[in-house]
Amino acid sequence: MPNQPDTESVKRYLMALQDRIRDALRDTDGGAGFREDAWERPDGGGGRTRVMRDGMVFEQCGLNFSHVFGERLPPSASARRPELAGRRFEAMGVSLVAHPWNPYVPTSHLNVRFFIAEKAGAEPVWWFGGGFDLTPYYGFDEDVVHWHRNARALCEPFGEDLYARLKRGCDEYFFLKHRNEPRGVGGLFFDDFDQGGFDRSFAFLRAIGDGYLPGYLPIVQRRWAKTYGERERAFQKYRRGRYVEFNLLYDRGTFFGLQSGGRTESILVSMPPEVSWRYDFRPEPGSPEEDLYERFLVPREWLDQDSESMPSI
């Protein structure tokens, strides 16, 4: 039947997307490339994890594809939709976290996923989710404006208000409540997405997956060779601690993976390879580190009139 959920088409797209991202990051890095581990989940399904370590540009990239299924949705998947508790489920997705060496290059994250929950005698309930976000350690207006311009362009064919709504969702989701600060400068975040039926929703997911690299790679290419020293590297490691805190305290994907019996090494490959914590750290007044807190880690509409007039470089 037309416009019915087609899990095989989603799976083919996601696996091809993982291949394309692997190739693009490998070519950008110019180093040794990715190690691949195929894995199986005892309760059903599995995936393939691709990891780049100690490259020329990237210190670590974790790039996962997973396709898992089971008889009961994990609590993390049904907490917001309790009427689905106890249903059989199928979930698949691609996720990426890229941690560059250079502190002037932001960490970035992409996730695109599909869920379907089924029960005998009832219509299946399905939805798409995902998005992408950017976590700079040193802020550059040009980079963040480019990131958000790209995000808005991807959303525009699907609704005039969609970018604003998904940007707000990203700002709200990637927020460390215990620190009262955002993880980075945002992007897009969506969940329970089924607007316009399966075909249109799937087209939106493809737009987000296909549009990630044009948003991120120009920033990498612009900044990766910029000179840095021990001060910048130390600050990068300190700020990476916030990434760890968010992933372990709030991230639904981490919870779902662990609760559903996924492969722990694959779930935690999003963690940065080197991190530090400092007690009660305060950046020096007037420093670039303070600028990150004062100008970038605050709620901001990057595509307002002032930002739009800024030349891209």
Side-chain angles (χ1 to χ4, degrees):
M1 294 179 64
N3 218 25
Q4 291 297 303
D6 182 352
T7 57
E8 284 304 311
S9 291
V10 177
K11 182 176 181 178
R12 285 195 300 271
Y13 168 73
L14 292 172
M15 295 184 75
L17 176 66
Q18 190 197 30
D19 289 343
R20 285 188 282 120
I21 293 175
R22 174 203 58 195
D23 294 347
L25 293 179
R26 180 192 59 206
D27 293 346
T28 298
D29 184 83
F34 285 82
R35 162 185 169 176
E36 178 174 324
D37 291 324
W39 54 274
E40 294 184 0
R41 175 175 171 270
D43 293 332
R48 60 187 188 189
T49 295
R50 291 167 171 167
V51 182
M52 179 192 295
R53 284 294 308 269
D54 299 331
M56 300 292 291
V57 175
F58 296 103
E59 187 174 5
Q60 180 169 296
C61 292
L63 176 59
N64 281 318
F65 165 78
S66 63
H67 176 207
V68 301
F69 44 87
E71 294 304 316
R72 298 177 65 86
L73 273 168
S76 59
S78 59
R80 295 168 59 247
R81 302 183 70 165
E83 73 277 10
L84 301 182
R87 285 197 178 209
R88 183 183 183 280
F89 76 94
E90 187 172 356
M92 60 185 75
V94 165
S95 63
L96 163 73
V97 177
H99 292 291
W101 284 105
N102 195 314
Y104 292 111
V105 182
T107 286
S108 76
H109 162 249
L110 165 74
N111 178 263
V112 282
R113 58 187 181 270
F114 174 71
F115 277 78
I116 186 167
E118 299 177 283
K119 183 173 68 172
E123 285 291 311
V125 178
W126 58 266
W127 65 92
F128 292 97
F132 47 61
D133 67 290
L134 194 70
T135 306
Y137 305 99
Y138 290 89
F140 296 92
D141 289 51
E142 299 91 345
D143 295 350
V144 185
V145 170
H146 164 77
W147 178 257
H148 280 279
R149 281 178 178 167
N150 180 64
R152 184 179 63 183
L154 298 175
C155 292
E156 281 178 339
F158 299 91
E160 292 183 2
D161 67 335
L162 192 58
Y163 164 74
R165 180 158 58 87
L166 300 191
K167 176 191 179 297
R168 183 171 60 251
C170 190
D171 290 341
E172 292 172 354
Y173 180 69
F174 291 105
F175 189 82
L176 290 89
K177 301 176 183 65
H178 64 291
R179 297 281 190 182
N180 194 33
E181 67 181 45
R183 186 168 84 170
V185 294
L188 303 173
F189 178 81
F190 59 99
D191 208 354
D192 301 323
F193 193 93
D194 58 4
Q195 294 181 8
F198 176 83
D199 292 345
R200 186 166 176 80
S201 298
F202 185 24
F204 177 65
L205 184 88
R206 296 196 302 271
I208 298 304
D210 296 346
Y212 164 76
L213 290 173
Y216 185 50
L217 290 187
I219 300 171
V220 176
Q221 292 158 353
R222 188 181 296 155
R223 306 294 174 194
W224 76 269
K226 185 175 174 64
T227 301
Y228 67 92
E230 292 182 6
R231 174 193 178 115
E232 292 82 7
R233 179 69 169 160
F235 185 64
Q236 178 198 48
K237 291 181 182 180
Y238 171 73
R239 288 298 310 171
R240 281 175 169 180
R242 299 292 203 269
Y243 217 88
V244 174
E245 290 176 19
F246 181 87
N247 281 17
L248 294 182
L249 293 175
Y250 301 113
D251 189 73
R252 293 181 203 159
T254 301
F255 295 158
F256 175 82
L258 296 174
Q259 291 174 358
S260 63
R263 181 173 181 257
T264 301
E265 287 296 308
S266 299
I267 296 164
L268 298 181
V269 75
S270 62
M271 299 301 180
E274 292 193 19
V275 188
S276 68
W277 277 266
R278 286 187 250 170
Y279 177 74
D280 198 26
F281 171 78
R282 307 292 174 90
E284 295 179 12
S287 67
E289 293 81 12
E290 184 185 59
D291 189 57
L292 179 76
Y293 286 88
E294 296 293 328
R295 297 191 57 252
F296 291 88
L297 298 182
V298 293
R300 181 170 173 182
E301 295 301 323
W302 286 97
L303 300 185
D304 62 17
Q305 188 172 354
D306 291 339
S307 293
E308 287 282 45
S309 65
M310 181 187 308
S312 295
I313 62 172

